[in-house]
Amino acid sequence: CEMSSELLVDLGDDPPTAQLGQLKLATIEDQQWPPDEATLTKSDVSQCFDAGSPHLPWDHPFYDIARHQIIEVAGDDNFGRKVIVFNACRMPPQHQLDHHKLLMYLKGTLDQYVESDYTLIYFHHGLTSENKPSLSWLRDAYREFDRKYKKNIKALYIVHPTMFIKTLLILFKPIISFKFGRKINYVSYLSELEDVVKCEQLLIPTRVKEYDNKLRASLKPAAQPPMSPPRSPPLPNQVFGVPLELLRQRSPDGDPVPVVMRDTISFLSEQGLEIEGIFRRSANVTLVKEVQLKYNSGAAVNFREMEDVHLAAVILKTFLRELPEPLLTFKLYNDIVNFTWISQSSQAYVCLCVLPTVLCVNKMTNSNLAVVFGPNLLWGRDNAMSLSAIGPINNFTRALLDQQHMVFT
């Protein structure tokens, strides 16, 4: 890993922090910074707030952080791990952002996933001398994240790293554990992320995309990095990324439940119910791709021969996440995001409106299942999801599982 070697470089005496502050950052560009919260009135916010917006209600304690969309959740990566995205370019000037609240908001997001394997992607472009946090804040932030946050983070990808961020990490070498250092990876171009996650699901800021194009344009033709591979046309028997209605039409017996879901749920029901945290772990990406290729080629898949319950669990989540439209449909997105405002007595009725096929019985609690499956059952049309949307979606999923006896009978 490139990062681990960087952290092991011996610089001798640590450079003074004053020199670090003088490192050249990206030149600040004209930005449409969101207005400071102090300039917003209750009526202003109520008029611009939309149920489908990633912004929280104006009176939510984290409203002033969430409205910048600095932190987002973007489904699963190619390994079946949750993806958390941090956008530096969306950080407003220092005087307009409460960095302590930002840290608490990040922890609140991670708290939903730290019991599962997850990936963190940090888009560094856009961090400037005007919006970068202090070194003391960065130090305290790293120390704030104890073992429970670091244990299951499988990779931290720093996209478009600069000398500033590389020097910063070397400066922090004494407090960064060797094990954590091995998880840090530098990504020079967006196309390199395709090996980890589908970039289209990340909702990458326009500024970052434009910067990536400039980097490419500055290279000589022979040094050009490969572009993201174009989307290949669907195979005749493809099942991943295909609408449910088309899969039903292709099914010889017209079964509305796709073969991937039948195979995985059947296998997990037989061999996975006694395994702790079955939907929390990732799987070998090579095996995941092999199984997907088999399904997309029309070949039969026998999970009993592979004897890997985590592989079956990841395949199930991957199938749900790659549907062109989520199982709970875009039409219901706003209603479900507002689910927390629905009275307890009405939740059973709302759940009756949708009948997702969900594995309801295993050793994970309904709350944990909701955290794992919620983002795979519903997402917005832009794919990304903020903390304000995650909570209601997970609450809806948990209610669906809690009240399955009413919903599925």
Side-chain angles (χ1 to χ4, degrees):
C1 173
E2 180 183 353
M3 186 59 230
S4 59
S5 61
E6 291 275 357
L7 288 178
L8 295 176
V9 173
D10 186 4
L11 290 182
D13 294 333
D14 286 334
T17 57
Q19 292 180 8
L20 187 63
Q22 296 171 5
L23 284 173
K24 181 178 176 67
L25 298 176
T27 304
I28 189 166
E29 301 171 10
D30 292 336
Q31 301 187 51
Q32 296 298 319
W33 295 114
D36 184 69
E37 59 267 22
T39 65
L40 292 174
T41 66
K42 180 176 179 180
S43 60
D44 291 334
V45 176
S46 62
Q47 289 174 5
C48 66
F49 178 72
D50 177 75
S53 167
H55 299 169
L56 293 167
W58 73 273
D59 55 352
H60 191 282
F62 284 120
Y63 166 77
D64 54 329
I65 303 298
R67 67 192 180 98
H68 297 297
Q69 296 179 263
I70 300 168
I71 300 166
E72 296 175 320
V73 178
D76 293 357
D77 65 13
N78 298 339
F79 303 85
R81 308 177 299 213
K82 283 291 175 288
V83 177
I84 312 296
V85 178
F86 190 103
N87 300 293
C89 69
R90 289 179 175 164
M91 293 177 65
Q94 297 167 4
H95 70 280
Q96 293 185 12
L97 184 67
D98 184 330
H99 288 86
H100 176 70
K101 271 192 175 181
L102 175 64
L103 178 58
M104 295 302 101
Y105 185 69
L106 177 59
K107 288 185 68 174
T109 302
L110 295 180
D111 278 340
Q112 312 235 7
Y113 301 106
V114 292
E115 297 301 323
S116 307
D117 296 345
Y118 70 98
T119 295
L120 186 61
I121 297 178
Y122 167 61
F123 288 111
H124 179 63
H125 176 68
L127 188 72
T128 72
S129 57
E130 299 225 356
N131 69 352
K132 69 181 178 72
S134 67
L135 290 180
S136 60
W137 182 87
L138 292 172
R139 179 198 62 211
D140 294 343
Y142 179 79
R143 290 173 173 169
E144 185 76 24
F145 292 100
D146 55 27
R147 186 175 182 275
K148 82 169 185 176
Y149 295 97
K150 299 170 186 174
K151 176 184 176 184
N152 287 330
I153 180 173
K154 297 306 177 183
L156 165 59
Y157 294 95
I158 300 177
V159 184
H160 298 142
T162 60
M163 183 58 68
F164 168 76
I165 195 69
K166 292 182 179 181
T167 305
L168 180 66
L169 287 171
I170 294 174
L171 178 68
F172 276 35
K173 181 177 64 173
I175 66 172
I176 296 179
S177 68
F178 178 77
K179 183 180 292 186
F180 185 79
R182 294 176 61 187
K183 299 177 180 181
I184 304 177
N185 304 272
Y186 292 139
V187 178
S188 300
Y189 304 97
L190 293 178
S191 58
E192 297 174 12
L193 277 178
E194 288 289 341
D195 291 334
V196 180
V197 64
K198 293 178 177 59
C199 286
E200 63 186 29
Q201 78 185 56
L202 296 179
L203 196 63
I204 300 171
T206 301
R207 285 188 62 197
V208 174
K209 292 180 180 179
E210 291 175 348
Y211 179 71
D212 191 74
N213 291 334
K214 289 179 181 178
L215 288 180
R216 289 175 171 278
S218 66
L219 295 175
K220 295 180 179 179
Q224 285 284 334
M227 295 292 291
S228 299
R231 183 184 293 273
S232 57
L235 300 170
N237 296 303
Q238 185 160 334
V239 295
F240 284 85
V242 176
L244 291 173
E245 179 59 24
L246 180 57
L247 293 178
R248 187 192 65 78
Q249 293 173 4
R250 287 182 184 171
S251 176
D253 55 1
D255 195 326
V257 181
V259 62
V260 177
M261 297 187 71
R262 294 201 304 269
D263 290 350
T264 53
I265 291 176
S266 174
F267 175 69
L268 292 172
S269 298
E270 292 177 7
Q271 301 190 27
L273 301 186
E274 297 302 315
I275 296 179
E276 297 283 352
I278 183 175
F279 293 108
R280 289 177 174 168
R281 301 279 76 89
S282 52
N284 183 294
V285 69
T286 301
L287 291 178
V288 172
K289 290 181 178 179
E290 288 179 358
V291 171
Q292 284 185 285
L293 181 59
K294 281 187 176 182
Y295 275 119
N296 287 336
S297 301
V301 175
N302 190 337
F303 288 103
R304 293 166 184 80
E305 293 179 354
M306 292 177 271
E307 297 183 337
D308 187 342
V309 294
H310 296 298
L311 174 62
V314 168
I315 288 294
L316 175 58
K317 291 192 296 179
T318 301
F319 173 79
L320 293 172
R321 182 64 200 183
E322 292 192 2
L323 288 171
E325 182 170 4
L327 196 58
L328 297 182
T329 73
F330 291 130
K331 183 178 180 181
L332 290 175
Y333 180 81
N334 284 356
D335 292 333
I336 293 176
V337 166
N338 281 320
F339 190 62
T340 52
W341 286 276
I342 298 175
S343 65
Q344 183 69 32
S345 61
S346 301
Q347 287 185 3
Y349 173 78
V350 175
C351 289
L352 286 170
C353 296
V354 285
L355 302 176
T357 303
V358 179
L359 182 60
C360 296
V361 182
N362 63 81
K363 298 198 75 173
M364 290 181 65
T365 66
N366 286 348
S367 293
N368 289 336
L369 272 175
V371 169
V372 173
F373 266 102
N376 292 303
L377 295 176
L378 184 68
W379 55 88
R381 292 185 183 275
D382 57 12
N383 285 301
M385 199 181 304
S386 70
L387 183 60
S388 58
I390 294 171
I393 290 173
N394 290 349
N395 288 340
F396 177 87
T397 307
R398 188 187 67 243
L400 189 65
L401 296 172
D402 288 343
Q403 303 185 44
Q404 57 178 291
H405 61 288
M406 299 179 64
V407 176
F408 298 105
T409 57

